[in-house]
Structures are given as C-alpha cells and as structure tokens.
Amino acid sequence: SVLHYLVGSTDYGEEPPAAVTRFLEKTGLMQQDVGVGTAEAASGAAPNNASSSSSSSPSSLVITSKGYEFMLQDVHVQVWLFILQYLNQLESIKRCEEVRHEALIFLI
C-alpha cells in the first residue's frame, strides 16, 4: 500500500501512518506539493484540508524524481533501500549505535 500511496493512487485503502509519510518525505521519495494552496490563494478559496498545515498533511505530498527511480527498482532493492534509510534515520536517537547493532544482528 505504501507504493500505491507513493504514486498517488487512491486504491491503497487507508492512509499510511504519519510515521510512514514523514519517512517518505525525509528520504526524498516524496515532497510537499508546492502547488497546494497556490490556486486556492489566487482564487480566494480555502484549501481542501484547511484544518491541518500543509507541512503535516499527507495528502499534500507528491512523488519526487527519486521516488520514481525507487519505483523502478526490483522489490529486493526497494526493501534494502528502506532498511538503509531507516538505519540512517537512527542517528537522531540517543541509543543510535545500540539500536543499529540490534537491527543489523536481526538482519543477519
């Protein structure tokens, strides 16, 4: 369902968790849609999702060129790219090395 969400399909069922959408944005596979709010602001209309800011609204994310390249990869490459990106994201955690070590042992 993440791949369906990545390409903007509406057939993926429910919205992915916020952690997944943040991860897709941080990894550069998706980015904020710069066009969201632009047309509404020009016409004076309110955006469709006025109750949340565009930076936290998953519906305002669009796929990037890096995301398209990711989609063309073999499924095994996609999984490894997710794992590597996840391990890179761990640097913000205090117990980074311990968690990384445990994750790598799990993968082996």
Side-chain angles (χ1 to χ4, degrees):
S1 72
V2 172
L3 297 178
H4 284 275
Y5 177 76
L6 190 63
V7 296
S9 171
T10 56
D11 295 335
Y12 57 84
E14 63 185 52
E15 293 277 326
V20 172
T21 57
R22 281 193 307 272
F23 182 77
L24 291 171
E25 189 173 8
K26 283 185 176 185
T27 57
L29 299 177
M30 297 190 85
Q31 69 182 11
Q32 292 296 318
D33 185 0
V34 294
V36 171
T38 307
E40 291 88 355
S43 67
N48 290 341
N49 198 357
S51 63
S52 65
S53 68
S54 64
S55 64
S56 63
S57 173
S59 61
S60 65
L61 294 176
V62 293
I63 192 168
T64 63
S65 59
K66 184 177 177 182
Y68 280 115
E69 290 174 22
F70 174 80
M71 293 293 299
L72 296 175
Q73 299 291 326
D74 180 63
V75 68
H76 300 97
V77 174
Q78 291 175 344
V79 170
W80 276 109
L81 288 173
F82 266 121
I83 291 169
L84 291 174
Q85 289 296 328
Y86 174 74
L87 292 174
N88 287 335
Q89 295 293 321
L90 290 176
E91 291 181 6
S92 63
I93 297 175
K94 291 181 182 178
R95 300 178 17 215
C96 171
E97 290 305 316
E98 180 184 339
V99 173
R100 248 189 216 173
H101 180 72
E102 290 174 7
L104 290 173
I105 287 176
F106 173 76
L107 291 172
I108 294 174

